[in-house]
Structures are given as structure tokens and as C-alpha cells.
Amino acid sequence: MQKELAPSYLKDLKVYQAGKPIDEVARERGLTNISKLASNENPLGPSPYAIREMTRGLWDLHRYPDMHAYSLKSKLAEIYNLKLENIILGNGSEGIMAYIARAFLQPNDEVLTCDNTFIGFYILARSVGAKLKTVSLTEDYRFDVKALAKNITDKTKVVYIANPNNPTGTYITKDEFDFLMEHIPSHVLVILDEAYFEFAVQQEDYPDSMDYRYDNVLTLRTFSKAYGLSGIRVGYGFGHEELIAYLTKVKLPFEPNLIGQLGSVGALEDRPHLERTLKNNTKRYGEIIEYLESKNFKPIKSITNFVTFKTGSREASDYLFDQLLNHGVIIRPLKANEMPDFVRVSIGTKDEMRHFYKAMDEVLPEYDKKFGRV
Ligand SMILES: Cc1ncc(COP(=O)(O)O)c(C=O)c1O
């Protein structure tokens, strides 16, 4: 019966796999000291301003949230010099991707992107029956703008670019973005997913989409990463008011929820917390690269809060993931991203990274006997 209820394209759709939760590892492995380096979260936690605002909101939980999210939108409009009509909010940036799929995609519409990018997007596009057309990443694991440009046809409706990309941490430069936009017709919608914007914008040749403002580009950002608020699920999108008006039609009225709206305003007001986050990330990034290279791994150069490196095989990745779990360290194997011979490690606090290095030091002698290096 269910088979007939659901459209055929849902039959083989795989459910999103998140990073392994801390409680699950504690339960399964009988551990108490666990470092989760699997979901690119902010290891410093939420801003105290955000906590203050959210705590205040607890007393109003019997009320529906402001469906126009006036305070949060006004704050974003002020920071980015936009009108409220240019802003959409949702349950995480994935929530907004779901609105995009609902508003603009129909079965058999063609969506163009690269292999080895954010799985959440593939799932959402497939969930409405869209046809995914993908091109390979470049040899240095970056979105291949030439291949994308070559593969745009009359049928292409949406192009999805994660900049920087997850799970590789790489980015397309200003020149590459210019090249791509020259080749994308204005009726094609470009989703520019900038979930790691705050980390990336420190690079001089990183194209901040807010400096361009094309009518056919929707920028997606999030409070889940640098702002340390993954748990309250708030994402935001910027775009032309006509695009935003369509998204608003399909949006669930009370997303994001009351606590999400308040916490996000608090986070935006706490610049020092963001600075601390970026500082920790830069320092720890240098250290993990040094560590991995000293062990003869070849990490992919990343401008985000995570690092991906090659193990050489699915078995090696699974082994490393499993053995590190025994030591209380959760990393991310990348089978679901079709990079089974790689693993991804999110950047944590100094202590969490020490935990990772110590666990690696203990696991690597046996790992080396089994797999060596590629
Ligand atoms: C590239 C990219 N886009 C979007 C998301 C989803 O973020 P959110 O928590 O805002 O839904 C992630 C999360 O990992 C991501 O890596």
C-alpha cells in the first residue's frame, strides 16, 4: 500500500546519515570522555549572548513565534545592507533548500552540480523527483567550473554550488565564480551554499556572493557552523525579492521557532565569540595539518572548520573510524559522499584535538601494518 502512496522516485531514496551522536557512542562503547569531530560544529559552543536571549525566550514558549521574524531579519538586513524582502529564514539552511525544492523543482527537472558535495542537497533534489546531473571535482578536489559550464543545457533549471565544499573544504575563486556566472543563463537558478562563509571569507580570492548580487543567485548561510547553534536549526537565504516571495509561499509559517529566532539575534550581536571561534579554528587547523603530514597523510587544503584526508580504501577508512571510536573520538567516514577512501575530521578545541592525536598515535601502528600509506 505504501508503495502506491509514494511516488516512484522515493523508492530508492536513501535517508541522510548524520555524524554519530555522542550519547550513542557512550552507550555502545561504554565510554565517558568523547570528542565529536564528525559534524563540523563549533567546538566552543554557542555564544553567551545567544544563550541569554534563548533563556529569556523560554518564558514566552506558550506563544507562537513572529512568523515574519522581524528582529532577526532586521538584524541581517542591517548587517548585509538588504531589504527584509530579500531574506528568507528556515530550519537550517537545509530547511531553505527544502523550500527551494518545493517551490522550483518538479519531477524530471534537471539539477546540475558536482560529485562529492553536500549529500543533503542530493537528497532534497531527489525527494521531489528532480534529475541530478553531476560532474567530477577537479583533481585537487574543487568544484570544476569548466565542466559545469560545459554541462549546462536548455534543460538545466538549477545549479548547486557549495562554496566552500563539504566534504572537501575546497573553494572556487573569484575568477572561477566570474567564469561560471558568464556561462550560466539568467533563467537558471544558482544556489550558492555558503554554510562555511565565516571561515572562508578570510581568504582574499574567495568570492563573497554578497559582493555580486545576481538576480538568479540564492545565497544560503547558517547559524549551525561558525555561530555554534546547530541545535536550534536556523539558516538564512538572500536573493532577489521575487525568488524570496516564492519561497515564502511554500515556507512553513512558524519556522524558525521562537528560540531559534532569539538565539540567532544574540549570536549576531556577539562578534567577540565569532572572533574566538575563528582564532581557535585557524590555530587548530595549522596543528592538524602538521600532525597529519608528520604521519605521512595528505590532507586536502581546507578553508573551513574540517579537514579531509585520504586513507586509500574503504576498509582503511572503516577501520580508522571504528578504532578511533574505541578511544572516544568520532570522525566521519565518507562512504555516503562517494569518497569511501577518505575520512573527514572536524576541528575541535585544543583538548579535543589532543584527544584525537593521542588516539591516532595509539591506533596507527596497527593501522599501518594493515594498510600502510597511499
Ligand atoms: C555545505 C553544507 N550546506 C548545508 C549544511 C546544512 O546546514 P544547516 O544546519 O544550516 O541545515 C551543511 C551541514 O553540514 C553543509 O555542510
PDB file of all heavy atoms in Angstrom, residues 330-348:
ATOM      1  N   ILE A 330      35.065  10.597  17.598  1.00  0.00           N
ATOM      2  CA  ILE A 330      34.139  10.350  16.472  1.00  0.00           C
ATOM      3  C   ILE A 330      34.578  11.193  15.279  1.00  0.00           C
ATOM      4  O   ILE A 330      34.586  12.427  15.344  1.00  0.00           O
ATOM      5  CB  ILE A 330      32.683  10.735  16.823  1.00  0.00           C
ATOM      6  CG1 ILE A 330      32.289  10.245  18.224  1.00  0.00           C
ATOM      7  CG2 ILE A 330      31.722  10.209  15.766  1.00  0.00           C
ATOM      8  CD1 ILE A 330      30.896  10.708  18.675  1.00  0.00           C
ATOM      9  N   ILE A 331      34.982  10.517  14.200  1.00  0.00           N
ATOM     10  CA  ILE A 331      35.272  11.239  12.952  1.00  0.00           C
ATOM     11  C   ILE A 331      34.214  10.823  11.933  1.00  0.00           C
ATOM     12  O   ILE A 331      33.253  10.132  12.270  1.00  0.00           O
ATOM     13  CB  ILE A 331      36.711  10.978  12.427  1.00  0.00           C
ATOM     14  CG1 ILE A 331      36.912   9.499  12.087  1.00  0.00           C
ATOM     15  CG2 ILE A 331      37.735  11.476  13.427  1.00  0.00           C
ATOM     16  CD1 ILE A 331      38.142   9.218  11.243  1.00  0.00           C
ATOM     17  N   ARG A 332      34.377  11.225  10.695  1.00  0.00           N
ATOM     18  CA  ARG A 332      33.337  10.935   9.697  1.00  0.00           C
ATOM     19  C   ARG A 332      33.900  10.163   8.513  1.00  0.00           C
ATOM     20  O   ARG A 332      34.723  10.712   7.764  1.00  0.00           O
ATOM     21  CB  ARG A 332      32.750  12.259   9.221  1.00  0.00           C
ATOM     22  CG  ARG A 332      31.532  12.150   8.337  1.00  0.00           C
ATOM     23  CD  ARG A 332      30.297  11.759   9.139  1.00  0.00           C
ATOM     24  NE  ARG A 332      29.112  12.107   8.386  1.00  0.00           N
ATOM     25  CZ  ARG A 332      28.316  13.129   8.666  1.00  0.00           C
ATOM     26  NH1 ARG A 332      28.554  13.892   9.695  1.00  0.00           N
ATOM     27  NH2 ARG A 332      27.267  13.372   7.925  1.00  0.00           N
ATOM     28  N   PRO A 333      33.475   8.911   8.351  1.00  0.00           N
ATOM     29  CA  PRO A 333      33.853   8.213   7.114  1.00  0.00           C
ATOM     30  C   PRO A 333      33.002   8.794   5.977  1.00  0.00           C
ATOM     31  O   PRO A 333      31.918   9.312   6.231  1.00  0.00           O
ATOM     32  CB  PRO A 333      33.479   6.755   7.399  1.00  0.00           C
ATOM     33  CG  PRO A 333      32.553   6.775   8.560  1.00  0.00           C
ATOM     34  CD  PRO A 333      32.567   8.136   9.198  1.00  0.00           C
ATOM     35  N   LEU A 334      33.469   8.735   4.747  1.00  0.00           N
ATOM     36  CA  LEU A 334      32.785   9.476   3.685  1.00  0.00           C
ATOM     37  C   LEU A 334      32.194   8.587   2.582  1.00  0.00           C
ATOM     38  O   LEU A 334      32.084   9.000   1.426  1.00  0.00           O
ATOM     39  CB  LEU A 334      33.744  10.520   3.083  1.00  0.00           C
ATOM     40  CG  LEU A 334      34.214  11.597   4.062  1.00  0.00           C
ATOM     41  CD1 LEU A 334      35.257  12.512   3.417  1.00  0.00           C
ATOM     42  CD2 LEU A 334      33.047  12.435   4.577  1.00  0.00           C
ATOM     43  N   LYS A 335      31.794   7.371   2.983  1.00  0.00           N
ATOM     44  CA  LYS A 335      31.146   6.462   2.017  1.00  0.00           C
ATOM     45  C   LYS A 335      29.953   7.120   1.351  1.00  0.00           C
ATOM     46  O   LYS A 335      29.784   7.063   0.144  1.00  0.00           O
ATOM     47  CB  LYS A 335      30.604   5.226   2.749  1.00  0.00           C
ATOM     48  CG  LYS A 335      31.618   4.157   3.040  1.00  0.00           C
ATOM     49  CD  LYS A 335      30.914   2.899   3.518  1.00  0.00           C
ATOM     50  CE  LYS A 335      30.460   3.002   4.946  1.00  0.00           C
ATOM     51  NZ  LYS A 335      31.303   2.504   5.983  1.00  0.00           N
ATOM     52  N   ALA A 336      29.104   7.751   2.187  1.00  0.00           N
ATOM     53  CA  ALA A 336      27.865   8.326   1.660  1.00  0.00           C
ATOM     54  C   ALA A 336      28.152   9.440   0.653  1.00  0.00           C
ATOM     55  O   ALA A 336      27.343   9.711  -0.229  1.00  0.00           O
ATOM     56  CB  ALA A 336      27.013   8.854   2.800  1.00  0.00           C
ATOM     57  N   ASN A 337      29.330  10.080   0.767  1.00  0.00           N
ATOM     58  CA  ASN A 337      29.708  11.125  -0.193  1.00  0.00           C
ATOM     59  C   ASN A 337      30.445  10.550  -1.387  1.00  0.00           C
ATOM     60  O   ASN A 337      31.034  11.299  -2.177  1.00  0.00           O
ATOM     61  CB  ASN A 337      30.644  12.150   0.463  1.00  0.00           C
ATOM     62  CG  ASN A 337      30.021  12.822   1.646  1.00  0.00           C
ATOM     63  OD1 ASN A 337      29.904  12.228   2.721  1.00  0.00           O
ATOM     64  ND2 ASN A 337      29.592  14.047   1.479  1.00  0.00           N
ATOM     65  N   GLU A 338      30.442   9.210  -1.472  1.00  0.00           N
ATOM     66  CA  GLU A 338      31.169   8.519  -2.542  1.00  0.00           C
ATOM     67  C   GLU A 338      32.659   8.844  -2.506  1.00  0.00           C
ATOM     68  O   GLU A 338      33.315   8.930  -3.539  1.00  0.00           O
ATOM     69  CB  GLU A 338      30.555   8.843  -3.909  1.00  0.00           C
ATOM     70  CG  GLU A 338      29.053   8.711  -3.837  1.00  0.00           C
ATOM     71  CD  GLU A 338      28.418   8.031  -5.009  1.00  0.00           C
ATOM     72  OE1 GLU A 338      28.958   8.175  -6.097  1.00  0.00           O
ATOM     73  OE2 GLU A 338      27.388   7.354  -4.798  1.00  0.00           O
ATOM     74  N   MET A 339      33.168   9.034  -1.307  1.00  0.00           N
ATOM     75  CA  MET A 339      34.618   9.166  -1.115  1.00  0.00           C
ATOM     76  C   MET A 339      35.011   8.150  -0.029  1.00  0.00           C
ATOM     77  O   MET A 339      35.483   8.533   1.048  1.00  0.00           O
ATOM     78  CB  MET A 339      34.999  10.584  -0.669  1.00  0.00           C
ATOM     79  CG  MET A 339      34.766  11.649  -1.728  1.00  0.00           C
ATOM     80  SD  MET A 339      35.175  13.323  -1.140  1.00  0.00           S
ATOM     81  CE  MET A 339      36.960  13.334  -1.262  1.00  0.00           C
ATOM     82  N   PRO A 340      34.786   6.869  -0.299  1.00  0.00           N
ATOM     83  CA  PRO A 340      34.993   5.864   0.748  1.00  0.00           C
ATOM     84  C   PRO A 340      36.447   5.739   1.192  1.00  0.00           C
ATOM     85  O   PRO A 340      36.730   5.233   2.274  1.00  0.00           O
ATOM     86  CB  PRO A 340      34.516   4.558   0.104  1.00  0.00           C
ATOM     87  CG  PRO A 340      34.588   4.810  -1.361  1.00  0.00           C
ATOM     88  CD  PRO A 340      34.350   6.275  -1.562  1.00  0.00           C
ATOM     89  N   ASP A 341      37.360   6.212   0.339  1.00  0.00           N
ATOM     90  CA  ASP A 341      38.784   6.095   0.674  1.00  0.00           C
ATOM     91  C   ASP A 341      39.317   7.365   1.351  1.00  0.00           C
ATOM     92  O   ASP A 341      40.524   7.616   1.351  1.00  0.00           O
ATOM     93  CB  ASP A 341      39.605   5.746  -0.584  1.00  0.00           C
ATOM     94  CG  ASP A 341      39.246   6.624  -1.772  1.00  0.00           C
ATOM     95  OD1 ASP A 341      38.157   7.247  -1.766  1.00  0.00           O
ATOM     96  OD2 ASP A 341      40.063   6.722  -2.705  1.00  0.00           O
ATOM     97  N   PHE A 342      38.410   8.151   1.921  1.00  0.00           N
ATOM     98  CA  PHE A 342      38.778   9.357   2.663  1.00  0.00           C
ATOM     99  C   PHE A 342      38.031   9.366   3.998  1.00  0.00           C
ATOM    100  O   PHE A 342      36.985   8.721   4.127  1.00  0.00           O
ATOM    101  CB  PHE A 342      38.359  10.617   1.900  1.00  0.00           C
ATOM    102  CG  PHE A 342      39.176  10.905   0.668  1.00  0.00           C
ATOM    103  CD1 PHE A 342      38.951  10.201  -0.514  1.00  0.00           C
ATOM    104  CD2 PHE A 342      40.159  11.878   0.683  1.00  0.00           C
ATOM    105  CE1 PHE A 342      39.692  10.467  -1.654  1.00  0.00           C
ATOM    106  CE2 PHE A 342      40.911  12.150  -0.453  1.00  0.00           C
ATOM    107  CZ  PHE A 342      40.678  11.447  -1.622  1.00  0.00           C
ATOM    108  N   VAL A 343      38.549  10.123   4.950  1.00  0.00           N
ATOM    109  CA  VAL A 343      37.781  10.418   6.165  1.00  0.00           C
ATOM    110  C   VAL A 343      37.856  11.925   6.421  1.00  0.00           C
ATOM    111  O   VAL A 343      38.769  12.598   5.939  1.00  0.00           O
ATOM    112  CB  VAL A 343      38.308   9.663   7.415  1.00  0.00           C
ATOM    113  CG1 VAL A 343      38.082   8.168   7.286  1.00  0.00           C
ATOM    114  CG2 VAL A 343      39.777   9.981   7.690  1.00  0.00           C
ATOM    115  N   ARG A 344      36.890  12.405   7.190  1.00  0.00           N
ATOM    116  CA  ARG A 344      36.831  13.846   7.484  1.00  0.00           C
ATOM    117  C   ARG A 344      36.887  14.052   8.998  1.00  0.00           C
ATOM    118  O   ARG A 344      36.249  13.311   9.751  1.00  0.00           O
ATOM    119  CB  ARG A 344      35.522  14.413   6.932  1.00  0.00           C
ATOM    120  CG  ARG A 344      35.463  15.932   6.890  1.00  0.00           C
ATOM    121  CD  ARG A 344      34.057  16.412   6.541  1.00  0.00           C
ATOM    122  NE  ARG A 344      33.172  16.185   7.659  1.00  0.00           N
ATOM    123  CZ  ARG A 344      31.837  16.225   7.590  1.00  0.00           C
ATOM    124  NH1 ARG A 344      31.235  16.483   6.460  1.00  0.00           N
ATOM    125  NH2 ARG A 344      31.107  16.014   8.662  1.00  0.00           N
ATOM    126  N   VAL A 345      37.658  15.043   9.413  1.00  0.00           N
ATOM    127  CA  VAL A 345      37.778  15.352  10.844  1.00  0.00           C
ATOM    128  C   VAL A 345      37.418  16.822  11.044  1.00  0.00           C
ATOM    129  O   VAL A 345      38.013  17.702  10.419  1.00  0.00           O
ATOM    130  CB  VAL A 345      39.230  15.138  11.348  1.00  0.00           C
ATOM    131  CG1 VAL A 345      39.322  15.385  12.852  1.00  0.00           C
ATOM    132  CG2 VAL A 345      39.717  13.745  10.997  1.00  0.00           C
ATOM    133  N   SER A 346      36.445  17.082  11.927  1.00  0.00           N
ATOM    134  CA  SER A 346      36.106  18.480  12.232  1.00  0.00           C
ATOM    135  C   SER A 346      37.123  19.021  13.223  1.00  0.00           C
ATOM    136  O   SER A 346      37.659  18.279  14.046  1.00  0.00           O
ATOM    137  CB  SER A 346      34.709  18.569  12.849  1.00  0.00           C
ATOM    138  OG  SER A 346      33.771  17.970  12.001  1.00  0.00           O
ATOM    139  N   ILE A 347      37.335  20.323  13.157  1.00  0.00           N
ATOM    140  CA  ILE A 347      38.304  20.941  14.058  1.00  0.00           C
ATOM    141  C   ILE A 347      37.638  21.224  15.405  1.00  0.00           C
ATOM    142  O   ILE A 347      36.566  21.832  15.457  1.00  0.00           O
ATOM    143  CB  ILE A 347      38.876  22.221  13.412  1.00  0.00           C
ATOM    144  CG1 ILE A 347      39.738  21.792  12.222  1.00  0.00           C
ATOM    145  CG2 ILE A 347      39.678  23.035  14.428  1.00  0.00           C
ATOM    146  CD1 ILE A 347      40.229  22.904  11.362  1.00  0.00           C
ATOM    147  N   GLY A 348      38.276  20.728  16.470  1.00  0.00           N
ATOM    148  CA  GLY A 348      37.700  20.871  17.806  1.00  0.00           C
ATOM    149  C   GLY A 348      38.474  21.856  18.658  1.00  0.00           C
ATOM    150  O   GLY A 348      39.243  22.680  18.156  1.00  0.00           O
TER     151      GLY A 348
END
